[in-house]
């Protein structure tokens, strides 16, 4: 089973401690993070990351760009420049399901500047039913690829239309409950067999 060598890169030089936050997340999960160089700007960081990835043999580079909760033309132009420089295989728009209509406006603007391949919706846990997923997919014309259902890295799940429909209709995540029950049953069965 081959695991890819991944490097994460923070291009968010605007939000205080954003780069340090990604570095800590990477360290906690055993992932390489491009070292921070004080006052270096996103385009220069991108060039340094591409060079570093070639030198250290990274298979995958994840560029984490600055967040946009409103439409900021300067940041979107910066994003377009990064896109042209990196020529990414995947361009995922990560957006918060809790901000509703505003996330849809951001998605629309975002997709006008770069060719996105999919959407990741975060904070689909709690009271958010995930109805924004339908609008998001319709607005961008791109699929929802992942859902963030909690704060931890392992609380990212592959998007399932059946699950989100259940949440929207207040039926709960029946598929998820069945999968969890099957997983727990398999673990208990394995324990019994081991004994």
């Amino acid at each position: 089973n081959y695991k890819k060598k991944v490097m994460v890169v923070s291009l968010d030089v605007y939000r205080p401690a954003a780069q340090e936050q990604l570095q800590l997340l990477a360290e906690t999960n055993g992932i390489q993070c491009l070292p921070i160089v004080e006052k270096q700007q996103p385009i220069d960081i991108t060039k340094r990351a591409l060079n570093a990835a070639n030198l250290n043999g990274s298979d995958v580079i994840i560029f984490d760009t600055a967040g946009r909760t409103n439409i900021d033309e300067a940041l979107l132009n910066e994003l377009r420049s990064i896109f042209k420089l990196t020529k990414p295989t995947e361009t995922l728009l990560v957006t918060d399901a809790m901000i509703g209509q505003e996330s849809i406006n951001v998605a629309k603007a975002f997709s006008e500047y770069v060719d996105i391949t999919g959407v990741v919706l975060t904070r689909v846990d709690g009271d958010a039913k995930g109805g924004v997923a339908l609008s998001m997919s319709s607005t961008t014309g791109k699929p929802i690829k992942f859902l963030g259902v909690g704060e931890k890295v392992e609380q990212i799940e592959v998007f399932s239309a059946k699950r989100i429909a259940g949440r929207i209709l207040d039926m709960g995540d029946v598929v998820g409950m069945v999968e969890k029950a099957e997983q727990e049953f398999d673990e208990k069965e394995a324990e019994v067999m081991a004994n």
Side-chain angles (χ1 to χ4, degrees):
N1 189 6
Y2 175 70
K3 287 190 175 184
K4 294 195 181 290
K5 186 174 181 181
V6 178
M7 180 173 69
V8 293
V9 179
S10 175
L11 299 178
D12 188 351
V13 297
Y14 309 104
R15 187 170 55 87
Q19 291 182 302
E20 291 79 5
Q21 187 179 19
L22 183 64
Q23 189 172 42
L24 181 63
L25 180 70
E27 285 170 9
T28 305
N29 290 281
I31 300 166
Q32 183 180 8
C33 184
L34 184 74
I36 299 165
V37 173
E38 288 292 318
K39 296 188 176 29
Q40 193 171 37
Q41 293 305 299
I43 299 300
D44 294 324
I45 297 170
T46 302
K47 290 175 183 173
R48 183 166 56 91
L50 292 169
N51 196 28
N54 283 332
L55 291 173
N56 70 27
S58 293
D59 299 303
V60 176
I61 312 171
I62 299 174
F63 291 95
D64 179 29
T65 60
R68 291 146 186 86
T69 53
N70 55 14
I71 296 154
D72 181 321
E73 200 170 333
L75 282 177
L76 288 168
N77 280 322
E78 175 186 280
L79 185 66
R80 182 184 281 156
S81 297
I82 292 163
F83 182 85
K84 286 177 182 174
L85 194 59
T86 58
K87 299 175 186 72
T89 305
E90 288 270 11
T91 304
L92 301 174
L93 170 62
V94 180
T95 188
D96 185 336
M98 298 291 278
I99 63 172
Q101 186 61 43
E102 189 53 39
S103 67
I104 294 162
N105 295 338
V106 170
K108 190 174 181 182
F110 190 96
S111 59
E112 287 170 5
Y113 277 77
V114 294
D115 183 22
I116 69 170
T117 55
V119 176
V120 179
L121 271 180
T122 64
R123 297 210 301 170
V124 184
D125 53 329
D127 293 335
K129 302 281 190 250
V132 74
L134 301 175
S135 297
M136 186 69 67
S137 189
S138 173
T139 300
T140 62
K142 301 296 178 185
I144 308 295
K145 294 204 172 188
F146 299 97
L147 296 179
V149 294
E151 294 290 318
K152 297 181 179 166
V153 172
E154 58 272 11
Q155 291 178 302
I156 295 174
E157 58 186 46
V158 174
F159 175 75
S160 161
K162 286 181 183 175
R163 286 182 181 178
I164 206 76
R167 286 182 182 147
I168 293 167
L169 298 171
D170 265 342
M171 291 164 49
D173 185 358
V174 177
V175 175
M177 288 189 295
V178 169
E179 282 179 359
K180 188 170 176 117
E182 283 176 348
Q183 183 182 357
E184 287 179 13
F185 176 76
D186 289 346
E187 285 172 10
K188 287 177 186 169
E189 195 174 72
E191 208 173 292
V192 168
M193 287 175 72
N195 288 335

